[in-house]
Amino acid sequence: QLQLVESGGGLVQPGGSLRLSCAASGFSLAVYAIGWFRQAPGKEREGVSCISSRGGSTNYAGSVKGRFTISKENNRNTVYLQMNSLKPEDTAVYFCAADWRPYSTDCALARGRYTSWGQGTQVTVSS
């Protein structure tokens, strides 16, 4: 059974850093692209970053480019989101999701492509 579990969220001051983890089970990262999305209260869920199943191609939303870095460890079946220079507007529940895209260098931040989702982890940026 395909499962995604996020961890690493918490409370951090503006300018601080957090690293989120997305542990995948029941499937291989070699055949799924993984995306990170976030949803703030009263707002739509938005794409943050994604990484392809093959080759490690990445995409970022403009609001996080240069501050966030996505990576993965295939042998641990885990995807990470390193978040630096955090701002209050980064406050949201962060979700990881899987998109069936076997051996592909493509990933996109389109919600509709992702069929499996984790439960989310809360990130709060506040002084």
Side-chain angles (χ1 to χ4, degrees):
Q1 182 177 357
L2 193 154
Q3 189 174 15
L4 297 162
V5 178
E6 304 94 336
S7 62
L11 173 64
V12 63
Q13 292 186 342
S17 298
L18 282 175
R19 188 177 80 156
L20 305 183
S21 298
C22 172
S25 60
F27 68 99
S28 169
L29 294 182
V31 295
Y32 280 86
I34 300 296
W36 281 99
F37 294 78
R38 66 186 182 186
Q39 188 165 18
K43 293 190 176 182
E44 293 284 321
R45 191 171 297 189
E46 63 173 356
V48 175
S49 182
C50 63
I51 189 164
S52 64
S53 60
R54 178 182 179 183
S57 297
T58 59
N59 277 318
Y60 296 92
S63 59
V64 306
K65 196 170 292 184
R67 300 188 297 123
F68 291 11
T69 303
I70 191 170
S71 62
K72 67 178 180 177
E73 288 189 77
N74 284 337
N75 59 343
R76 295 191 175 188
N77 233 31
T78 301
V79 175
Y80 304 98
L81 185 68
Q82 178 67 43
M83 306 186 297
N84 298 329
S85 302
L86 283 161
K87 306 174 181 180
E89 51 263 43
D90 294 317
T91 295
V93 178
Y94 283 70
F95 301 87
C96 62
D99 168 28
W100 170 256
R101 201 75 42 184
Y103 309 108
S104 171
T105 57
D106 172 54
C107 81
L109 296 178
R111 281 176 55 186
R113 290 176 63 162
Y114 293 82
T115 54
S116 297
W117 293 79
Q119 292 301 305
T121 185
Q122 176 70 47
V123 172
T124 303
V125 185
S126 175
S127 55

